[in-house]
Structures are given as structure tokens and as C-alpha cells.
Amino acid sequence: VDIIETVATRAQRALDNGEVRVFVVDPVMVTAAGDRLVDTDALNAIRKILLPLATVTTPNLREAALLLDTEIPNTIEGLRDTAIKIKQRFRPDAVLLKGSFPVSSEELAPNAVRIESGDTFVVDILYDGHCLLELASPRLETRNTHGTGCTLASAIAARLAIGDDITTAVQNARTYLQTALRNSLHLHLGSGPCGPFLHGQSAWDRAVASCYPSTRTIY
């Protein structure tokens, strides 16, 4: 709790003084396996003093359920309702609720934003209190997913820092993440059931191109 309070105090001061313009909160509270990482006092501190400061908050499904003390959403309608409730209850500027279950193209809204075409998608919901967007990415079968949530939040913060609006920052960050995941599909990274994905894919491509100008990297 002390750490959360300190971060919130420093963030509030920096936002008030104009030292920073954006504050992205990735509420890391539950592991992918479902293990809870915070106690009740820390959870309440995140709810009351951290999320209200956020330009964007990026909970996954388990974290969203913990924040709201509800069941984990498992339908598109449930995703929409959960994102709206987080925005209304905790008052961040915007919520990006990260989906994980497979969704068919027929289930997507007509105005859903798709990174690429496909048959089965993973859908995130972006809601800012006025506009609700379904952001769909083709579902990739890969073990290299460790660190994707943290990387997405960091990419959103980076894009906001260089001047993107919230919607554009989220879309650019998701495109970066999808590209990195796709280029990690066949790599044997890390150990155990879940390896890290290729964060530095674009840098790797540039390094190969500079060393071997006639070589094209194939994944």
C-alpha cells in the first residue's frame, strides 16, 4: 500500500505541475494462471487513488473482475459492460480492457477495428466515456506471450508521450504488439510453458539489414 500511495502522490504532483501529461496504469494484480498478487488493502488503494489518475488503464479480464468483484467476462457483451463499469466506477480517462478468449468474425460489431483479416480474433475494448471501440486482432497460437501486457501499456505510454491521442496511441501500440507476437511464433524463447515474445523485432531486422544488406529476414 505504501508503494501505491507514493506512486499516486508523485504522479498527482507531476500531472498538476505539468511535468508529465499522461499516466498509464497497468494494474498488475493477477497472473495469467489466476494467482492473485495483491492483498485487499492494496486492491482498494489501486481502486481509490491510482485508477482515478490514469489517462489509460489496461486491465486484463481477471484484473477487471477483481476490480469490480464480479465474474470474469467471457462474451463480447460482457467485455463492453465491464469496460463501461470500470470507467464509471473508478474514473480513469479511458479503459482498455484486454480480451483473451477467441471471437469469431461474425460476433464482431460492424464498426470493429481490425488490425488484419482473419477468422478468429481476440478483442480488446477501448472506452473513454463517450466512444466504445472493439479492437480486434487475429488470434495467434504461440507460447511466446510472457510480458505482452506490460509491453502494451508501455507502448501506449510512449505513443501518448509523442503526441498521439488515446485512440491512435492504443491502435499503434496494439499493431506493434501484434507484429512482435507474429514474429515470435516459431522462436524457442525462454523455458517453461510460456516464453517472452520478441520485443526487439524491428531492431533485429535493422541489425540484420545493416550487417547483411542483401539478406531479408524470414520468420
Side-chain angles (χ1 to χ4, degrees), residues 57-129:
T57 186
T58 61
N60 62 30
L61 300 185
R62 294 180 185 275
E63 290 159 349
L66 183 59
L67 286 169
L68 296 172
D69 194 22
T70 59
E71 296 296 319
I72 297 172
N74 58 9
T75 65
I76 290 289
E77 292 75 16
L79 290 178
R80 297 187 193 111
D81 185 57
T82 299
I84 291 170
K85 286 180 178 177
I86 291 174
K87 166 64 179 171
Q88 292 176 340
R89 189 169 303 181
F90 306 116
R91 305 182 311 282
D93 291 345
V95 178
L96 179 68
L97 178 60
K98 300 176 294 192
S100 58
F101 54 84
V103 176
S104 68
S105 57
E106 291 77 15
E107 296 176 85
L108 297 176
N111 64 340
V113 179
R114 309 186 191 200
I115 288 180
E116 303 167 5
S117 61
D119 298 320
T120 305
F121 295 85
V122 173
V123 176
D124 299 340
I125 300 293
L126 178 63
Y127 182 61
D128 64 0

Side-chain angles (χ1 to χ4, degrees), residues 34-55:
D35 298 318
R36 183 166 162 173
L37 303 174
V38 296
D39 61 20
T40 300
D41 289 341
L43 172 61
N44 287 331
I46 291 170
R47 287 168 169 163
K48 293 178 181 178
I49 65 175
L50 206 57
L51 293 186
L53 298 177
T55 308

Side-chain angles (χ1 to χ4, degrees), residues 140-159:
L140 302 175
E141 295 299 332
T142 175
R143 65 181 290 277
N144 298 318
T145 57
H146 186 68
T148 51
C150 300
T151 300
L152 178 62
S154 298
I156 292 169
R159 295 300 313 189

Side-chain angles (χ1 to χ4, degrees), residues 9-44:
T9 299
R10 294 291 297 272
Q12 182 71 75
R13 184 184 307 142
L15 289 166
D16 290 345
N17 293 341
E19 297 172 33
V20 298
R21 296 184 298 105
V22 297
F23 183 51
V24 177
V25 176
D26 182 15
V28 181
M29 301 182 296
V30 186
T31 69
D35 298 318
R36 183 166 162 173
L37 303 174
V38 296
D39 61 20
T40 300
D41 289 341
L43 172 61
N44 287 331

